[in-house]
PDB file of all heavy atoms in Angstrom:
ATOM      1  N   LYS P 834      12.264  15.786  22.058  1.00  0.00           N
ATOM      2  CA  LYS P 834      13.095  16.009  20.872  1.00  0.00           C
ATOM      3  C   LYS P 834      14.359  15.143  20.885  1.00  0.00           C
ATOM      4  O   LYS P 834      15.374  15.505  20.308  1.00  0.00           O
ATOM      5  CB  LYS P 834      13.445  17.485  20.684  1.00  0.00           C
ATOM      6  CG  LYS P 834      12.221  18.369  20.491  1.00  0.00           C
ATOM      7  CD  LYS P 834      12.604  19.799  20.273  1.00  0.00           C
ATOM      8  CE  LYS P 834      11.365  20.669  20.114  1.00  0.00           C
ATOM      9  NZ  LYS P 834      11.713  22.079  20.030  1.00  0.00           N
ATOM     10  N   GLU P 835      14.257  13.967  21.509  1.00  0.00           N
ATOM     11  CA  GLU P 835      15.352  12.995  21.512  1.00  0.00           C
ATOM     12  C   GLU P 835      15.110  11.971  20.404  1.00  0.00           C
ATOM     13  O   GLU P 835      13.975  11.494  20.243  1.00  0.00           O
ATOM     14  CB  GLU P 835      15.416  12.254  22.851  1.00  0.00           C
ATOM     15  CG  GLU P 835      15.672  13.153  24.027  1.00  0.00           C
ATOM     16  CD  GLU P 835      15.405  12.467  25.358  1.00  0.00           C
ATOM     17  OE1 GLU P 835      14.553  11.552  25.419  1.00  0.00           O
ATOM     18  OE2 GLU P 835      16.052  12.866  26.334  1.00  0.00           O
ATOM     19  N   LEU P 836      16.144  11.644  19.664  1.00  0.00           N
ATOM     20  CA  LEU P 836      16.037  10.661  18.596  1.00  0.00           C
ATOM     21  C   LEU P 836      15.762   9.282  19.199  1.00  0.00           C
ATOM     22  O   LEU P 836      16.521   8.805  20.042  1.00  0.00           O
ATOM     23  CB  LEU P 836      17.326  10.633  17.769  1.00  0.00           C
ATOM     24  CG  LEU P 836      17.346   9.697  16.561  1.00  0.00           C
ATOM     25  CD1 LEU P 836      16.235  10.029  15.568  1.00  0.00           C
ATOM     26  CD2 LEU P 836      18.705   9.758  15.882  1.00  0.00           C
ATOM     27  N   VAL P 837      14.640   8.668  18.768  1.00  0.00           N
ATOM     28  CA  VAL P 837      14.250   7.370  19.330  1.00  0.00           C
ATOM     29  C   VAL P 837      14.304   6.226  18.321  1.00  0.00           C
ATOM     30  O   VAL P 837      14.328   5.059  18.698  1.00  0.00           O
ATOM     31  CB  VAL P 837      12.842   7.429  19.967  1.00  0.00           C
ATOM     32  CG1 VAL P 837      12.844   8.364  21.171  1.00  0.00           C
ATOM     33  CG2 VAL P 837      11.771   7.842  18.954  1.00  0.00           C
ATOM     34  N   PHE P 838      14.321   6.553  17.016  1.00  0.00           N
ATOM     35  CA  PHE P 838      14.361   5.494  16.007  1.00  0.00           C
ATOM     36  C   PHE P 838      14.832   6.074  14.682  1.00  0.00           C
ATOM     37  O   PHE P 838      14.540   7.232  14.364  1.00  0.00           O
ATOM     38  CB  PHE P 838      12.971   4.859  15.828  1.00  0.00           C
ATOM     39  CG  PHE P 838      12.972   3.628  14.964  1.00  0.00           C
ATOM     40  CD1 PHE P 838      13.540   2.441  15.401  1.00  0.00           C
ATOM     41  CD2 PHE P 838      12.403   3.658  13.703  1.00  0.00           C
ATOM     42  CE1 PHE P 838      13.539   1.303  14.605  1.00  0.00           C
ATOM     43  CE2 PHE P 838      12.394   2.527  12.886  1.00  0.00           C
ATOM     44  CZ  PHE P 838      12.967   1.343  13.350  1.00  0.00           C
ATOM     45  N   VAL P 839      15.535   5.261  13.903  1.00  0.00           N
ATOM     46  CA  VAL P 839      16.055   5.669  12.591  1.00  0.00           C
ATOM     47  C   VAL P 839      15.786   4.551  11.584  1.00  0.00           C
ATOM     48  O   VAL P 839      15.948   3.370  11.898  1.00  0.00           O
ATOM     49  CB  VAL P 839      17.579   5.930  12.650  1.00  0.00           C
ATOM     50  CG1 VAL P 839      18.144   6.200  11.274  1.00  0.00           C
ATOM     51  CG2 VAL P 839      17.899   7.069  13.595  1.00  0.00           C
ATOM     52  N   TYR P 840      15.369   4.938  10.385  1.00  0.00           N
ATOM     53  CA  TYR P 840      15.274   4.000   9.262  1.00  0.00           C
ATOM     54  C   TYR P 840      16.101   4.600   8.133  1.00  0.00           C
ATOM     55  O   TYR P 840      15.765   5.661   7.614  1.00  0.00           O
ATOM     56  CB  TYR P 840      13.817   3.804   8.827  1.00  0.00           C
ATOM     57  CG  TYR P 840      13.637   2.643   7.888  1.00  0.00           C
ATOM     58  CD1 TYR P 840      13.372   1.376   8.377  1.00  0.00           C
ATOM     59  CD2 TYR P 840      13.742   2.807   6.516  1.00  0.00           C
ATOM     60  CE1 TYR P 840      13.209   0.294   7.521  1.00  0.00           C
ATOM     61  CE2 TYR P 840      13.590   1.747   5.650  1.00  0.00           C
ATOM     62  CZ  TYR P 840      13.318   0.487   6.160  1.00  0.00           C
ATOM     63  OH  TYR P 840      13.173  -0.587   5.308  1.00  0.00           O
ATOM     64  N   GLU P 841      17.180   3.917   7.773  1.00  0.00           N
ATOM     65  CA  GLU P 841      18.108   4.457   6.779  1.00  0.00           C
ATOM     66  C   GLU P 841      17.823   3.940   5.375  1.00  0.00           C
ATOM     67  O   GLU P 841      17.366   2.822   5.182  1.00  0.00           O
ATOM     68  CB  GLU P 841      19.546   4.091   7.161  1.00  0.00           C
ATOM     69  CG  GLU P 841      20.003   4.744   8.451  1.00  0.00           C
ATOM     70  CD  GLU P 841      21.436   4.394   8.799  1.00  0.00           C
ATOM     71  OE1 GLU P 841      22.339   4.762   8.023  1.00  0.00           O
ATOM     72  OE2 GLU P 841      21.640   3.746   9.846  1.00  0.00           O
ATOM     73  N   ASN P 842      18.133   4.800   4.400  1.00  0.00           N
ATOM     74  CA  ASN P 842      18.080   4.467   2.979  1.00  0.00           C
ATOM     75  C   ASN P 842      16.729   3.887   2.553  1.00  0.00           C
ATOM     76  O   ASN P 842      16.661   2.864   1.896  1.00  0.00           O
ATOM     77  CB  ASN P 842      19.225   3.515   2.620  1.00  0.00           C
ATOM     78  CG  ASN P 842      19.559   3.592   1.149  1.00  0.00           C
ATOM     79  OD1 ASN P 842      19.397   4.634   0.519  1.00  0.00           O
ATOM     80  ND2 ASN P 842      20.014   2.490   0.603  1.00  0.00           N
ATOM     81  N   PHE P 843      15.679   4.580   2.899  1.00  0.00           N
ATOM     82  CA  PHE P 843      14.313   4.202   2.530  1.00  0.00           C
ATOM     83  C   PHE P 843      14.133   4.574   1.067  1.00  0.00           C
ATOM     84  O   PHE P 843      14.229   5.739   0.699  1.00  0.00           O
ATOM     85  CB  PHE P 843      13.346   4.955   3.434  1.00  0.00           C
ATOM     86  CG  PHE P 843      11.942   4.427   3.472  1.00  0.00           C
ATOM     87  CD1 PHE P 843      11.625   3.124   3.125  1.00  0.00           C
ATOM     88  CD2 PHE P 843      10.912   5.252   3.897  1.00  0.00           C
ATOM     89  CE1 PHE P 843      10.322   2.660   3.191  1.00  0.00           C
ATOM     90  CE2 PHE P 843       9.610   4.809   3.968  1.00  0.00           C
ATOM     91  CZ  PHE P 843       9.312   3.502   3.616  1.00  0.00           C
ATOM     92  N   SER P 844      13.886   3.587   0.218  1.00  0.00           N
ATOM     93  CA  SER P 844      13.887   3.833  -1.226  1.00  0.00           C
ATOM     94  C   SER P 844      12.477   3.920  -1.809  1.00  0.00           C
ATOM     95  O   SER P 844      11.541   3.301  -1.290  1.00  0.00           O
ATOM     96  CB  SER P 844      14.666   2.734  -1.947  1.00  0.00           C
ATOM     97  OG  SER P 844      13.923   1.531  -1.917  1.00  0.00           O
ATOM     98  N   PRO P 845      12.323   4.658  -2.908  1.00  0.00           N
ATOM     99  CA  PRO P 845      11.018   4.780  -3.570  1.00  0.00           C
ATOM    100  C   PRO P 845      10.449   3.429  -3.996  1.00  0.00           C
ATOM    101  O   PRO P 845       9.229   3.257  -4.013  1.00  0.00           O
ATOM    102  CB  PRO P 845      11.313   5.651  -4.791  1.00  0.00           C
ATOM    103  CG  PRO P 845      12.525   6.432  -4.422  1.00  0.00           C
ATOM    104  CD  PRO P 845      13.334   5.508  -3.545  1.00  0.00           C
ATOM    105  N   GLU P 846      11.316   2.488  -4.311  1.00  0.00           N
ATOM    106  CA  GLU P 846      10.861   1.171  -4.759  1.00  0.00           C
ATOM    107  C   GLU P 846      10.147   0.387  -3.658  1.00  0.00           C
ATOM    108  O   GLU P 846       9.494  -0.612  -3.926  1.00  0.00           O
ATOM    109  CB  GLU P 846      12.045   0.346  -5.294  1.00  0.00           C
ATOM    110  CG  GLU P 846      12.692   0.910  -6.542  1.00  0.00           C
ATOM    111  CD  GLU P 846      13.604   2.112  -6.259  1.00  0.00           C
ATOM    112  OE1 GLU P 846      14.175   2.216  -5.163  1.00  0.00           O
ATOM    113  OE2 GLU P 846      13.719   2.954  -7.164  1.00  0.00           O
ATOM    114  N   SER P 847      10.255   0.836  -2.421  1.00  0.00           N
ATOM    115  CA  SER P 847       9.627   0.138  -1.297  1.00  0.00           C
ATOM    116  C   SER P 847       8.114   0.370  -1.224  1.00  0.00           C
ATOM    117  O   SER P 847       7.418  -0.357  -0.523  1.00  0.00           O
ATOM    118  CB  SER P 847      10.257   0.582   0.015  1.00  0.00           C
ATOM    119  OG  SER P 847       9.955   1.948   0.249  1.00  0.00           O
ATOM    120  N   PHE P 848       7.612   1.399  -1.932  1.00  0.00           N
ATOM    121  CA  PHE P 848       6.182   1.699  -1.882  1.00  0.00           C
ATOM    122  C   PHE P 848       5.382   0.484  -2.322  1.00  0.00           C
ATOM    123  O   PHE P 848       5.756  -0.161  -3.298  1.00  0.00           O
ATOM    124  CB  PHE P 848       5.861   2.907  -2.785  1.00  0.00           C
ATOM    125  CG  PHE P 848       4.409   3.267  -2.797  1.00  0.00           C
ATOM    126  CD1 PHE P 848       3.864   3.976  -1.739  1.00  0.00           C
ATOM    127  CD2 PHE P 848       3.584   2.873  -3.825  1.00  0.00           C
ATOM    128  CE1 PHE P 848       2.521   4.288  -1.730  1.00  0.00           C
ATOM    129  CE2 PHE P 848       2.246   3.182  -3.830  1.00  0.00           C
ATOM    130  CZ  PHE P 848       1.707   3.892  -2.771  1.00  0.00           C
ATOM    131  N   PRO P 849       4.348   0.080  -1.613  1.00  0.00           N
ATOM    132  CA  PRO P 849       3.562   0.780  -0.605  1.00  0.00           C
ATOM    133  C   PRO P 849       3.953   0.479   0.857  1.00  0.00           C
ATOM    134  O   PRO P 849       3.191   0.811   1.762  1.00  0.00           O
ATOM    135  CB  PRO P 849       2.148   0.302  -0.877  1.00  0.00           C
ATOM    136  CG  PRO P 849       2.328  -1.115  -1.291  1.00  0.00           C
ATOM    137  CD  PRO P 849       3.637  -1.120  -2.081  1.00  0.00           C
ATOM    138  N   LEU P 850       5.108  -0.094   1.094  1.00  0.00           N
ATOM    139  CA  LEU P 850       5.553  -0.340   2.460  1.00  0.00           C
ATOM    140  C   LEU P 850       5.596   0.970   3.246  1.00  0.00           C
ATOM    141  O   LEU P 850       6.046   1.989   2.724  1.00  0.00           O
ATOM    142  CB  LEU P 850       6.959  -0.963   2.451  1.00  0.00           C
ATOM    143  CG  LEU P 850       7.659  -1.083   3.801  1.00  0.00           C
ATOM    144  CD1 LEU P 850       7.016  -2.184   4.632  1.00  0.00           C
ATOM    145  CD2 LEU P 850       9.143  -1.360   3.611  1.00  0.00           C
ATOM    146  N   ALA P 851       5.142   0.933   4.481  1.00  0.00           N
ATOM    147  CA  ALA P 851       5.259   2.075   5.390  1.00  0.00           C
ATOM    148  C   ALA P 851       6.142   1.645   6.549  1.00  0.00           C
ATOM    149  O   ALA P 851       6.071   0.500   6.993  1.00  0.00           O
ATOM    150  CB  ALA P 851       3.895   2.511   5.900  1.00  0.00           C
ATOM    151  N   VAL P 852       7.005   2.535   7.012  1.00  0.00           N
ATOM    152  CA  VAL P 852       7.843   2.238   8.170  1.00  0.00           C
ATOM    153  C   VAL P 852       7.438   3.148   9.320  1.00  0.00           C
ATOM    154  O   VAL P 852       6.953   4.258   9.108  1.00  0.00           O
ATOM    155  CB  VAL P 852       9.356   2.372   7.868  1.00  0.00           C
ATOM    156  CG1 VAL P 852       9.785   1.349   6.834  1.00  0.00           C
ATOM    157  CG2 VAL P 852       9.715   3.767   7.416  1.00  0.00           C
ATOM    158  N   ASP P 853       7.651   2.658  10.523  1.00  0.00           N
ATOM    159  CA  ASP P 853       7.224   3.386  11.706  1.00  0.00           C
ATOM    160  C   ASP P 853       8.179   3.079  12.841  1.00  0.00           C
ATOM    161  O   ASP P 853       8.817   2.025  12.871  1.00  0.00           O
ATOM    162  CB  ASP P 853       5.810   2.956  12.077  1.00  0.00           C
ATOM    163  CG  ASP P 853       5.147   3.859  13.102  1.00  0.00           C
ATOM    164  OD1 ASP P 853       5.725   4.903  13.452  1.00  0.00           O
ATOM    165  OD2 ASP P 853       4.040   3.516  13.538  1.00  0.00           O
ATOM    166  N   SER P 854       8.243   3.978  13.774  1.00  0.00           N
ATOM    167  CA  SER P 854       9.047   3.784  14.969  1.00  0.00           C
ATOM    168  C   SER P 854       8.293   2.889  15.947  1.00  0.00           C
ATOM    169  O   SER P 854       7.091   3.066  16.143  1.00  0.00           O
ATOM    170  CB  SER P 854       9.315   5.137  15.636  1.00  0.00           C
ATOM    171  OG  SER P 854       9.874   4.961  16.910  1.00  0.00           O
ATOM    172  N   PRO P 855       8.992   1.949  16.579  1.00  0.00           N
ATOM    173  CA  PRO P 855       8.340   1.151  17.621  1.00  0.00           C
ATOM    174  C   PRO P 855       8.136   1.958  18.910  1.00  0.00           C
ATOM    175  O   PRO P 855       7.445   1.519  19.814  1.00  0.00           O
ATOM    176  CB  PRO P 855       9.318  -0.002  17.841  1.00  0.00           C
ATOM    177  CG  PRO P 855      10.640   0.535  17.427  1.00  0.00           C
ATOM    178  CD  PRO P 855      10.365   1.518  16.326  1.00  0.00           C
ATOM    179  N   VAL P 856       8.746   3.141  18.960  1.00  0.00           N
ATOM    180  CA  VAL P 856       8.660   4.025  20.117  1.00  0.00           C
ATOM    181  C   VAL P 856       7.809   5.240  19.713  1.00  0.00           C
ATOM    182  O   VAL P 856       7.998   5.774  18.624  1.00  0.00           O
ATOM    183  CB  VAL P 856      10.082   4.496  20.541  1.00  0.00           C
ATOM    184  CG1 VAL P 856      10.024   5.424  21.729  1.00  0.00           C
ATOM    185  CG2 VAL P 856      10.980   3.302  20.811  1.00  0.00           C
ATOM    186  N   PRO P 857       6.863   5.683  20.571  1.00  0.00           N
ATOM    187  CA  PRO P 857       6.061   6.856  20.214  1.00  0.00           C
ATOM    188  C   PRO P 857       6.939   8.063  19.881  1.00  0.00           C
ATOM    189  O   PRO P 857       8.007   8.255  20.459  1.00  0.00           O
ATOM    190  CB  PRO P 857       5.231   7.117  21.484  1.00  0.00           C
ATOM    191  CG  PRO P 857       5.166   5.792  22.166  1.00  0.00           C
ATOM    192  CD  PRO P 857       6.490   5.139  21.881  1.00  0.00           C
ATOM    193  N   SER P 858       6.457   8.856  18.936  1.00  0.00           N
ATOM    194  CA  SER P 858       7.208  10.039  18.503  1.00  0.00           C
ATOM    195  C   SER P 858       6.253  11.217  18.324  1.00  0.00           C
ATOM    196  O   SER P 858       5.048  11.043  18.205  1.00  0.00           O
ATOM    197  CB  SER P 858       7.951   9.751  17.197  1.00  0.00           C
ATOM    198  OG  SER P 858       7.023   9.473  16.169  1.00  0.00           O
ATOM    199  N   LEU P 859       6.833  12.409  18.290  1.00  0.00           N
ATOM    200  CA  LEU P 859       6.074  13.626  18.039  1.00  0.00           C
ATOM    201  C   LEU P 859       6.561  14.321  16.768  1.00  0.00           C
ATOM    202  O   LEU P 859       5.820  15.042  16.128  1.00  0.00           O
ATOM    203  CB  LEU P 859       6.198  14.583  19.227  1.00  0.00           C
ATOM    204  CG  LEU P 859       5.393  15.867  19.182  1.00  0.00           C
ATOM    205  CD1 LEU P 859       3.889  15.579  19.089  1.00  0.00           C
ATOM    206  CD2 LEU P 859       5.679  16.718  20.408  1.00  0.00           C
ATOM    207  N   PHE P 860       7.821  14.069  16.415  1.00  0.00           N
ATOM    208  CA  PHE P 860       8.454  14.680  15.244  1.00  0.00           C
ATOM    209  C   PHE P 860       9.067  13.590  14.378  1.00  0.00           C
ATOM    210  O   PHE P 860       9.634  12.629  14.891  1.00  0.00           O
ATOM    211  CB  PHE P 860       9.575  15.641  15.670  1.00  0.00           C
ATOM    212  CG  PHE P 860       9.159  16.649  16.687  1.00  0.00           C
ATOM    213  CD1 PHE P 860       9.388  16.438  18.037  1.00  0.00           C
ATOM    214  CD2 PHE P 860       8.535  17.834  16.301  1.00  0.00           C
ATOM    215  CE1 PHE P 860       9.011  17.373  18.988  1.00  0.00           C
ATOM    216  CE2 PHE P 860       8.151  18.775  17.243  1.00  0.00           C
ATOM    217  CZ  PHE P 860       8.385  18.540  18.597  1.00  0.00           C
ATOM    218  N   VAL P 861       8.966  13.760  13.059  1.00  0.00           N
ATOM    219  CA  VAL P 861       9.635  12.869  12.113  1.00  0.00           C
ATOM    220  C   VAL P 861      10.415  13.754  11.152  1.00  0.00           C
ATOM    221  O   VAL P 861       9.873  14.715  10.600  1.00  0.00           O
ATOM    222  CB  VAL P 861       8.636  11.978  11.344  1.00  0.00           C
ATOM    223  CG1 VAL P 861       9.360  11.116  10.327  1.00  0.00           C
ATOM    224  CG2 VAL P 861       7.822  11.112  12.309  1.00  0.00           C
ATOM    225  N   LEU P 862      11.674  13.424  10.962  1.00  0.00           N
ATOM    226  CA  LEU P 862      12.544  14.199  10.079  1.00  0.00           C
ATOM    227  C   LEU P 862      13.001  13.333   8.913  1.00  0.00           C
ATOM    228  O   LEU P 862      13.526  12.242   9.122  1.00  0.00           O
ATOM    229  CB  LEU P 862      13.765  14.708  10.859  1.00  0.00           C
ATOM    230  CG  LEU P 862      14.801  15.500  10.062  1.00  0.00           C
ATOM    231  CD1 LEU P 862      14.202  16.777   9.475  1.00  0.00           C
ATOM    232  CD2 LEU P 862      15.996  15.822  10.948  1.00  0.00           C
ATOM    233  N   GLU P 863      12.778  13.822   7.695  1.00  0.00           N
ATOM    234  CA  GLU P 863      13.263  13.154   6.495  1.00  0.00           C
ATOM    235  C   GLU P 863      14.458  13.936   5.972  1.00  0.00           C
ATOM    236  O   GLU P 863      14.384  15.149   5.786  1.00  0.00           O
ATOM    237  CB  GLU P 863      12.158  13.087   5.435  1.00  0.00           C
ATOM    238  CG  GLU P 863      10.972  12.264   5.887  1.00  0.00           C
ATOM    239  CD  GLU P 863       9.853  12.201   4.868  1.00  0.00           C
ATOM    240  OE1 GLU P 863       9.817  13.027   3.920  1.00  0.00           O
ATOM    241  OE2 GLU P 863       8.993  11.315   5.018  1.00  0.00           O
ATOM    242  N   VAL P 864      15.559  13.226   5.765  1.00  0.00           N
ATOM    243  CA  VAL P 864      16.805  13.822   5.276  1.00  0.00           C
ATOM    244  C   VAL P 864      17.335  12.967   4.125  1.00  0.00           C
ATOM    245  O   VAL P 864      16.902  11.839   3.938  1.00  0.00           O
ATOM    246  CB  VAL P 864      17.856  13.931   6.419  1.00  0.00           C
ATOM    247  CG1 VAL P 864      17.419  14.930   7.472  1.00  0.00           C
ATOM    248  CG2 VAL P 864      18.129  12.573   7.044  1.00  0.00           C
ATOM    249  N   PRO P 865      18.279  13.495   3.343  1.00  0.00           N
ATOM    250  CA  PRO P 865      18.815  12.699   2.236  1.00  0.00           C
ATOM    251  C   PRO P 865      19.414  11.378   2.729  1.00  0.00           C
ATOM    252  O   PRO P 865      20.000  11.308   3.820  1.00  0.00           O
ATOM    253  CB  PRO P 865      19.906  13.597   1.647  1.00  0.00           C
ATOM    254  CG  PRO P 865      19.530  14.981   2.059  1.00  0.00           C
ATOM    255  CD  PRO P 865      18.883  14.833   3.408  1.00  0.00           C
ATOM    256  N   ALA P 866      19.267  10.334   1.936  1.00  0.00           N
ATOM    257  CA  ALA P 866      19.850   9.032   2.275  1.00  0.00           C
ATOM    258  C   ALA P 866      21.349   9.184   2.504  1.00  0.00           C
ATOM    259  O   ALA P 866      22.030   9.917   1.782  1.00  0.00           O
ATOM    260  CB  ALA P 866      19.585   8.018   1.164  1.00  0.00           C
ATOM    261  N   GLY P 867      21.849   8.540   3.530  1.00  0.00           N
ATOM    262  CA  GLY P 867      23.262   8.601   3.864  1.00  0.00           C
ATOM    263  C   GLY P 867      23.580   9.615   4.945  1.00  0.00           C
ATOM    264  O   GLY P 867      24.666   9.591   5.529  1.00  0.00           O
ATOM    265  N   PHE P 868      22.638  10.511   5.242  1.00  0.00           N
ATOM    266  CA  PHE P 868      22.855  11.564   6.234  1.00  0.00           C
ATOM    267  C   PHE P 868      23.228  10.983   7.595  1.00  0.00           C
ATOM    268  O   PHE P 868      24.182  11.429   8.235  1.00  0.00           O
ATOM    269  CB  PHE P 868      21.592  12.425   6.350  1.00  0.00           C
ATOM    270  CG  PHE P 868      21.677  13.536   7.356  1.00  0.00           C
ATOM    271  CD1 PHE P 868      22.152  14.786   6.992  1.00  0.00           C
ATOM    272  CD2 PHE P 868      21.271  13.339   8.675  1.00  0.00           C
ATOM    273  CE1 PHE P 868      22.224  15.818   7.915  1.00  0.00           C
ATOM    274  CE2 PHE P 868      21.336  14.364   9.602  1.00  0.00           C
ATOM    275  CZ  PHE P 868      21.821  15.604   9.225  1.00  0.00           C
TER     276      PHE P 868
END
């Protein structure tokens, strides 16, 4: 449960781009942009 990667301000206009952590993860948290 340690934060290993962050992608900030991911916008709807980016679709169909997908972003991913270069480090393996078990949990992904989506929060409002700017958080």
Side-chain angles (χ1 to χ4, degrees):
K834 299 182 181 174
E835 299 166 331
L836 183 59
V837 295
F838 189 70
V839 174
Y840 192 90
E841 295 181 63
N842 203 30
F843 196 22
S844 72
E846 295 77 29
S847 66
F848 179 78
L850 171 73
V852 296
D853 193 7
S854 169
V856 179
S858 63
L859 184 60
F860 308 96
V861 177
L862 178 62
E863 297 179 344
V864 293
F868 179 89

